Amino acid sequence: MNGLTRRQLLAGTAGLVFVLPAVATTSCPKAAAPQPKGRIRLASGRSIAFNEYGNPAGSKVVIYHHGHPGCRLECEVLLPALPDHPDLRLLSFDRPGMGWSDPDKGKSFCSWAKDLTACLDALGVNRFGLIGVSAGTPFALAAALELRDRVTAIAIASGLCDFSTGHYGAISTREIGLVRVAPAAVRAVLNSFARQVGRNPRALYRMLDTFETRDEKRFFQEDPAALELAAADVLEALRQGADGVVSDLDLTARPWGLSLGEVTAPTTLFHGAADRLATPVMAEANGRRIPNAVVRIFPGEGHISTVRTQATAILAAASA
């Protein structure tokens, strides 16, 4: 394993679990999740899976970009806030190689933006807002750059920044490099972990202990349905194996190559002051690069809890 112990790799993959759903409205089976609402076939022959929530005829559309290991289910963290937005249609896609979406050997931030463009054209969606959570940040920002005039607003929650722009001291910056030095070992650990979660969702605690706050840990302990949904999200993300997740991690670890100074849509960055996985300076770094971005830091909130407690505000910012 290139000099890395299994313990180090497990700790590293823990640092790469970038946001799990923290609120469940229904309980999902441990070993399976509902099939996606739909799959869109691209010109290349690949297909992209998606779920839809809220008002299907809503005049406002928001696209959710999940972290990893995550999938379309992750956006259910926002469902309790949807009643506050009765005119909102919320769409969440599995990125290539995760959930039910076919792999893309040439995956990049820009290729994802083109995939998303084709999906939205197929769904008849012309104008929309974007949400990027944690490691979904660069994918959402790439979409904003590709689709420009079609994007009405952007909300980034617990977001990562381009690690190549400086040292940020977060767990993610220390651990994400594992995928660069030992990708096969990371794949093996993730696949093994998925099997453990399939047998017992409480196996998630080993990863959550790496970066969660005391309140976040207590939330999962007190709400078995939330833990079970988080497990379903991980299992869906890894249903095809870990290749899709590892390719996402590899992209995130490299220089992003995104001209964030050219983002034109109003952007709000939500971040917890107690976030140890992606420290608040990451939000500040993105705020300096994105024109006129608003940075909102929440005392006491962590990587997971910020998305849960600020769900209404995140949806409002993205649908403005």
Side-chain angles (χ1 to χ4, degrees):
M1 292 190 179
N2 291 329
L4 296 169
T5 68
R6 184 177 182 81
R7 177 183 293 273
Q8 288 172 316
L9 284 165
L10 186 56
T13 54
L16 301 174
V17 179
F18 297 156
V19 168
L20 303 170
V23 176
T25 55
T26 59
S27 179
C28 295
K30 296 179 183 178
Q35 290 194 16
K37 176 179 176 61
R39 299 178 74 183
I40 298 168
R41 187 164 295 280
L42 307 176
S44 65
R46 293 185 293 109
S47 65
I48 301 293
F50 71 95
N51 275 3
E52 183 176 32
Y53 306 90
N55 184 350
S59 65
K60 294 185 177 181
V61 181
V62 169
I63 314 301
Y64 183 97
H65 286 76
H66 63 78
H68 46 67
C71 66
R72 68 191 183 282
L73 298 178
E74 185 186 288
C75 85
E76 295 187 13
V77 66
L78 301 177
L79 294 192
L82 272 180
D84 297 329
H85 303 273
D87 195 33
L88 181 63
R89 180 186 183 191
L90 179 62
L91 296 170
S92 180
F93 296 84
D94 289 334
R95 287 198 293 276
M98 287 169 276
W100 289 76
S101 290
D102 293 329
D104 177 9
K105 292 183 179 178
K107 182 165 62 174
S108 67
F109 297 131
C110 292
S111 72
W112 166 248
K114 295 183 184 302
D115 285 354
L116 182 61
T117 300
C119 289
L120 296 178
D121 289 347
L123 292 170
V125 175
N126 184 44
R127 300 271 287 169
F128 49 88
L130 296 168
I131 293 176
V133 175
S134 192
T137 298
F139 293 94
L141 293 175
L145 290 167
E146 174 71 20
L147 292 150
R148 294 184 185 273
D149 294 340
R150 295 173 64 175
V151 179
T152 57
I154 305 166
I156 301 297
S158 302
L160 302 184
C161 67
D162 186 337
F163 299 144
S164 70
T165 61
H167 178 68
Y168 297 98
I171 293 173
S172 50
T173 59
R174 296 198 303 270
E175 309 296 356
I176 199 170
L178 288 173
V179 76
R180 303 296 304 278
V181 299
V186 172
R187 280 193 292 271
V189 169
L190 285 169
N191 287 328
S192 174
F193 186 73
R195 291 191 292 271
Q196 295 175 49
V197 172
R199 291 191 295 268
N200 181 4
R202 291 182 179 276
L204 282 172
Y205 283 136
R206 283 188 298 160
M207 289 198 293
L208 295 173
D209 278 342
T210 305
F211 62 86
E212 64 185 355
T213 66
R214 182 176 302 174
D215 287 343
E216 288 171 326
K217 183 176 181 179
R218 183 168 59 248
F219 175 81
F220 277 97
Q221 291 173 333
E222 295 176 352
D223 190 343
L227 181 65
E228 205 156 282
L229 180 57
D233 181 55
V234 170
L235 292 174
E236 274 292 277
L238 296 166
R239 66 176 293 117
Q240 302 180 58
D243 285 351
V245 174
V246 170
S247 66
D248 254 35
L249 295 174
D250 184 60
L251 287 174
T252 306
R254 298 174 184 272
W256 293 359
L258 300 176
S259 301
L260 299 189
E262 298 177 13
V263 173
T264 57
T267 302
T268 307
L269 305 163
F270 298 80
H271 219 97
D275 190 334
R276 294 188 296 125
L277 182 63
T279 54
V281 293
M282 291 191 169
E284 294 164 357
N286 285 331
R288 288 192 295 271
R289 298 183 66 199
I290 299 171
N292 303 312
V294 175
V295 180
R296 299 183 63 187
I297 306 296
F298 299 92
E301 299 293 355
H303 195 71
I304 297 173
S305 64
T306 297
V307 186
R308 171 170 54 85
T309 62
Q310 301 304 316
T312 294
I314 290 168
L315 286 175
S319 60

